[in-house]
Amino acid sequence: QVRLVESGGGVVQPGGSLRLSCAASGITLDYFAVAWFRQAPGKEREGVSCISPSRDDTVYYINSVKERFTISRDNAENTVYLQMNGLKPEDTGVYYCATVFSAHAENVVRGPVPKSDIGYWGQGTQVTVSS
């Protein structure tokens, strides 16, 4: 059985940092493109960042998180991380990780992602940025 489990969310003040983890079981993440999505209250889910499979590890970010967020993977831990620095209230939302069709990894940060491009979803972790 495949599982993706996110952790690391919480409540932070503006300017703070969090590191989200996406730990996998049942699959080997380094063969997959892995993306982080977020959904703010009342808004559509949006792609935030994506890392292509380990053979090239290209990373993609939406403009609003460039220079603040860093996606990375630890193959030994079978985990993908999202380091989030300089958090802003508009970063608030539920953050999900998902495996993505690797040829379309860049599409995660370009707009809505077709369901056919998503393999497995995690259950989400809440991030709240508030003073």
Side-chain angles (χ1 to χ4, degrees), residues 30-110:
D30 59 336
Y31 297 135
F32 291 84
V34 179
W36 285 96
F37 295 82
R38 67 186 178 191
Q39 187 164 20
K43 294 189 176 181
E44 296 287 321
R45 184 154 45 189
E46 67 171 347
V48 174
S49 180
C50 189
I51 185 166
S52 58
S54 288
R55 58 182 179 269
D56 59 43
D57 263 353
T58 304
V59 297
Y60 305 97
Y61 303 96
I62 54 172
N63 287 337
S64 61
V65 308
K66 283 181 181 177
E67 309 302 328
R68 298 189 298 123
F69 290 11
T70 303
I71 192 170
S72 63
R73 61 168 81 238
D74 183 331
N75 292 337
E77 297 294 326
N78 206 23
T79 299
V80 169
Y81 300 99
L82 186 68
Q83 177 68 44
M84 305 188 297
N85 299 328
L87 283 162
K88 303 176 180 181
E90 53 264 41
D91 295 318
T92 293
V94 180
Y95 283 68
Y96 302 87
C97 65
T99 60
V100 175
F101 179 43
S102 58
H104 296 169
E106 188 174 3
N107 292 347
V108 168
V109 298
R110 289 177 172 268

